[in-house]
Amino acid sequence: MGGAVVDEGPTGVKAPDGGWGWAVLLGGFVITGFSYAFPKAVSVFFKELMHEFRIGYSDTAWISSILLAMLYGTGPLCSVCVNRFGCRPVMLAGGLLASLGMVAASFCRSVIQLYLTAGVLTGLGLALNFQPSLIMLNRYFNKRRPMANGLAAAGSPVFLCALSPLGQLLQDQYGWRGGFLILGGLLLNCCVCAALMRPLEAPAGSAPASGPQRPSRRLLDLSVFRDRGFVVYAAAASVMVLGLFVPPVFVVSYAKDLGVPDTRAAFLLTVLGLVDIFARPAAGFVTGLPKVRPYSVYLFSFAMFFNGFTDLTGSTASDYGGLVVFCIFFGISYGMVGALQFEVLMAIVGTQKFSSAIGLVLLLEAIAVLIGPPSGGKLLDATHVYQYVFILAGTEVLAASLVLVLGNFFCIRRRPAAAVEGEHKPPADGGVDSREVEHFLKAEPEKNGEVAHTPETSV
């Protein structure tokens, strides 16, 4: 997932904010569902895999971690492929790879083979699908981008609601091998979504845009590290990912350890997903409001704080009812985080550097993804207490929230007044009407769908 992509489509083509964009949104919805829900849904097979291969929690957790790490850490590879072949062919190849990985996993005889097939191969296939779908979504939507991102992000909980009980049903009926084989067939639907990603084309007979042509850009624009807002965001996001994905991976096994039947335990992920379905579009709609959008960074920080606090309180659950309540509040906070993360990054770096910024951020997060669930599994193997796992995850997400808030306060709020004034000081040469300057400052940030970079939106 994510990468520095310089293939931005034809110059001067306005985002339609509708039309065929709704078909692209539907494809992005399905791709997002498979990409994010799949690493969590396979956790219903963990108990069976532990019994089959005689391994511990940490060993099985590596499957989800490798899936997420491939999804996050293959940005540069996705960038090269998209620049060379375009979004649609890359997504078609990714769908075939993802399906092939799960089909091959159904024939595995060791956990290492599972890491290479269900982890590496399927994860790479999902990555080659998700990044181009995100690029196409941002090409087709401009003014409605927050809402479109929120609706596409809702694919994750929708598919989690479906894949989790489906996985449990397949395991009961066909075993984990038959379940993996059928899930591999379902992943071929990614190829159908790829067919929907029609490239934007300039209107027939339109004259080429006048003025200097767009300069060539680097594959990865490392100048984003000069932006203190980006550095703070990247640090906060990396810490957040350490604990963000841990509770969904372990909550089913936690319920089974309390004596809850397998089917009811798997239903916890469905509860989480149902709440998440409504939380993501709602968060996207609220963030898109004119009075709220400039403060999206603070809303993102609150979402992380809410998520971490939910993990800490969830560690006190001692029965099935407590876990259901935990999943409800976790679904709300998790949905807010999922809907806001890309919109906030866009607000910080702007549209021109977004493709490079998302790749660099996700490369950093990939390291945290590889550490998060396995470290929770190691802690569980050492203590056999699930509460400690949830406390560790909550502490990490709360720390990320504090990094974002304190970084915003010290890096932006404390800037010298002279520097802030100098940024908006009009040119000295020539008389410029103050009304023209005011009109420019108000209108210019709205070009290309960018949000004005105020202290509230620049971290």
Side-chain angles (χ1 to χ4, degrees):
M1 169 184 164
V5 177
V6 278
D7 174 26
E8 296 180 340
T11 307
V13 179
K14 184 179 179 181
D17 272 313
W20 190 257
W22 300 117
V24 173
L25 176 59
L26 176 62
F29 176 88
V30 175
I31 295 297
T32 302
F34 277 124
S35 300
Y36 276 127
F38 214 81
K40 307 180 191 70
V42 295
S43 65
V44 301
F45 296 95
F46 281 2
K47 282 282 187 179
E48 189 73 17
L49 293 175
M50 291 168 58
H51 177 74
E52 172 89 10
F53 298 107
R54 301 185 182 277
I55 52 179
Y57 287 99
S58 60
D59 297 316
T60 53
W62 270 103
I63 298 175
S64 294
S65 292
I66 293 174
L67 267 170
L68 288 170
M70 293 299 295
L71 196 64
Y72 276 68
T74 54
L77 176 61
C78 294
S79 300
V80 172
C81 293
V82 169
N83 288 330
R84 179 65 179 84
F85 303 107
C87 291
R88 182 185 286 175
V90 171
M91 292 180 67
L92 286 169
L96 293 174
L97 280 177
S99 176
L100 178 62
M102 290 305 295
V103 172
S106 67
F107 297 96
C108 289
R109 298 296 177 182
S110 69
V111 68
I112 300 298
Q113 293 174 351
L114 282 176
Y115 295 159
L116 295 176
T117 54
V120 175
L121 199 58
T122 299
L124 177 59
L126 292 175
L128 291 175
N129 270 272
F130 185 78
Q131 177 177 329
S133 71
L134 183 63
I135 296 170
M136 295 300 295
L137 189 66
N138 281 276
R139 286 182 186 172
Y140 270 87
F141 289 92
N142 184 358
K143 294 181 180 179
R144 296 176 177 175
R145 193 182 68 237
M147 182 192 68
N149 282 328
L151 290 173
S156 173
V158 169
F159 273 64
L160 185 58
C161 289
L163 290 178
S164 178
L166 176 62
Q168 188 66 54
L169 178 63
L170 293 176
Q171 179 178 276
D172 295 340
Q173 295 293 326
Y174 306 104
W176 71 268
R177 295 185 184 276
F180 276 23
L181 184 64
I182 295 174
L183 290 176
L186 287 177
L187 285 174
L188 287 174
N189 286 288
C190 294
C191 298
V192 179
C193 297
L196 298 175
M197 301 298 166
R198 187 171 65 191
L200 278 174
E201 297 179 357
S206 60
S210 59
Q213 295 188 358
R214 183 175 58 193
S216 59
R217 295 168 55 193
R218 299 175 182 176
L219 182 65
L220 282 174
D221 188 358
L222 299 180
S223 66
V224 293
F225 282 107
R226 299 174 186 172
D227 186 340
R228 289 176 293 179
F230 170 78
V231 173
V232 171
Y233 176 93
S238 298
V239 176
M240 175 191 71
V241 170
L242 282 173
L244 183 65
F245 300 117
V246 171
V249 170
F250 287 96
V251 69
V252 174
S253 298
Y254 187 6
K256 292 179 180 179
D257 189 69
L258 293 175
V260 177
D262 290 355
T263 304
R264 294 186 68 195
F267 184 72
L268 288 172
L269 291 182
T270 303
V271 173
L272 191 158
L274 284 172
V275 177
D276 200 0
I277 288 172
F278 298 99
R280 295 194 182 218
F285 175 78
V286 172
T287 306
L289 296 176
K291 293 184 178 180
V292 178
R293 200 169 183 182
Y295 301 94
S296 58
V297 170
Y298 293 112
L299 190 59
F300 184 45
S301 179
F302 169 76
M304 287 192 291
F305 180 87
F306 186 18
N307 185 270
F309 182 77
T310 302
D311 291 343
L312 295 180
T313 56
S315 66
T316 62
S318 58
D319 54 20
Y320 185 72
L323 289 178
V324 170
V325 174
F326 162 75
C327 287
I328 290 174
F329 284 96
F330 185 88
I332 296 173
S333 59
Y334 188 79
M336 294 174 64
V337 171
L340 290 170
Q341 55 182 340
F342 295 122
E343 184 63 31
V344 169
L345 182 59
M346 176 74 76
I348 292 171
V349 302
T351 55
Q352 295 300 318
K353 294 185 178 181
F354 175 70
S355 57
S356 292
I358 189 175
L360 293 169
V361 165
L362 294 174
L363 279 172
L364 296 174
E365 289 181 353
I367 301 173
V369 166
L370 276 174
I371 298 173
S375 64
K378 285 289 185 182
L379 181 62
L380 183 61
D381 289 337
T383 64
H384 302 284
V385 179
Y386 279 92
Q387 287 85 345
Y388 295 159
V389 177
F390 282 70
I391 291 173
L392 175 63
T395 303
E396 290 165 343
V397 180
L398 282 176
S401 175
L402 292 177
V403 168
L404 192 61
V405 171
L406 295 178
N408 177 74
F409 181 78
F410 288 107
C411 293
I412 301 298
R413 292 286 187 177
R414 296 299 182 107
R415 283 188 303 175
V420 177
E421 293 175 0
E423 291 178 0
H424 302 291
K425 187 176 180 180
D429 55 330
V432 180
D433 188 6
S434 61
R435 288 176 295 181
E436 295 180 3
V437 175
E438 181 181 3
H439 175 74
F440 171 79
L441 292 176
K442 288 182 178 179
E444 186 67 17
E446 299 300 325
K447 290 184 178 180
N448 298 323
E450 293 187 39
V451 182
H453 288 272
T454 64
E456 289 79 8
T457 60
S458 298
V459 183

